[in-house]
DNA sequence: CTAATGTGTAACTAATATAGTCACATAATG
DNA sequence: CATTATGTGACTATATTAGTTACACATTAG
């Protein structure tokens, strides 16, 4: 897997921390420490998933499309992973071998169950939870 | 992630299906449909994790190091992933931003919980379970 | 001893994925 | 219409991954 999931969560947390003010890709890129164009590409994915929306022009930028309390990590996860499996299975095992012929279907079943468990756990945290974790961390420090 | 986990499970299932007879890397490679040297590299990892052992010379090959009933998918998973995280976090966010400064620690916590859930689910299946799934699949067909 | 069989492993290549960058068209605002 | 900001295509550099070759070393049988 790539770091797009982590970056996407970072972006959404930033948007929530910005209290309804549109955030420019340049400002976000400054916090993530990368390129604005990269951020805009990520925002495109998040917008497609209905998690953010963007306003063009001066004073524009990105906003959460719905309350942070109603965006969980699994929403973000699905937005960035699309349909690709997180645990890939090797291609073209030998069809003349009983194990080779059947292993993919068996693995797919087990791996999907495992990924489902991962998604369930991700569904327990919202962007709002994350921001409050960050806030309390900041207060301690 | 890469397909090494899937291949490793394939290998172990093959070893179990071979009923205690040493399996050569060439035979295993025939079922996985890849190169014997690749299989030997994987077997090295599995041996290091205590899941297999190998005998050199004629009549040699790889064997399970313990009963298939006592090898779960999470054992294999840990053998191939070592300590690398399955959900990576982006490096070097901006330390001058409250969110950037703290996001990594927060993400790590949540991602680890999710990976733990995935591992728990993987722990519910043994290599013996997999082989019997395959066998029953073969009988139906 | 030695020929044959098989593992262990280093070195290399090709293909793919990933992150990053640049340039510019397009849209909105005042 | 000048400015600000997004949307997006094209490109590059780097890392990861899978695959391949070659050969040293271990074991067994004859």
């Amino acid at each position: 897997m790539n770091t797009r999931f982590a970056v996407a969560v970072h972006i959404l947390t930033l948007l929530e921390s910005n209290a309804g003010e549109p955030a420019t890709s340049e400002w976000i890129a400054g916090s993530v420490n990368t390129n604005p164009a990269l951020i805009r590409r990520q925002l495109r994915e998040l917008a497609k998933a209905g998690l953010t929306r963007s306003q063009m022009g001066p004073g524009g930028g990105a906003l959460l499309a719905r309350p942070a309390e109603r965006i969980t990590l699994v929403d973000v996860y699905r937005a960035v992973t699309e349909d690709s499996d997180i645990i890939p299975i090797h291609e073209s095992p030998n069809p003349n071998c009983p194990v080779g012929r059947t292993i993919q279907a068996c693995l797919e079943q087990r791996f999907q169950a495992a990924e489902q468990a991962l998604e369930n756990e991700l569904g327990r945290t919202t962007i709002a939870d994350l921001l409050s974790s960050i806030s309390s961390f900041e207060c301690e420090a």
Side-chain angles (χ1 to χ4, degrees), chain A residues 12-141:
Chain A
L12 294 171
T13 307
L14 272 177
L15 295 188
E16 171 66 0
S17 80
N18 213 28
E21 285 299 300
T24 69
S25 61
E26 190 167 352
W27 180 71
I28 298 171
S31 173
V32 175
N33 192 23
T34 183
N35 193 294
L38 215 60
I39 297 297
R40 291 200 289 271
R41 274 208 292 258
Q42 288 245 25
L43 283 169
R44 173 172 47 178
E45 288 186 272
L46 295 174
K48 201 168 65 178
L51 303 180
T52 65
R53 59 197 170 82
S54 292
Q55 292 168 4
M56 294 185 99
L63 294 163
L64 293 184
R66 62 171 190 255
E69 290 77 16
R70 284 176 38 224
I71 300 178
T72 71
L73 295 191
V74 73
D75 297 324
V76 188
Y77 177 81
R78 292 201 179 116
V80 300
T81 54
E82 299 266 316
D83 37 36
S84 69
D85 287 327
I86 193 176
I87 307 180
I89 298 177
H90 56 300
E91 313 254 297
S92 58
N94 189 342
N96 298 319
C97 166
V99 173
R101 172 166 56 230
T102 326
I103 190 80
Q104 288 175 310
C106 291
L107 288 180
E108 183 144 354
Q109 188 185 44
R110 311 292 170 152
F111 290 1
Q112 272 182 8
E115 293 183 27
Q116 187 60 56
L118 180 136
E119 293 193 16
N120 289 345
E121 182 62 33
L122 288 178
R124 299 166 55 86
T125 302
T126 68
I127 296 297
D129 292 336
L130 261 186
L131 185 61
S132 75
S133 290
I134 285 176
S135 301
S136 58
F137 194 97
E138 288 293 314
C139 290
E140 290 169 23

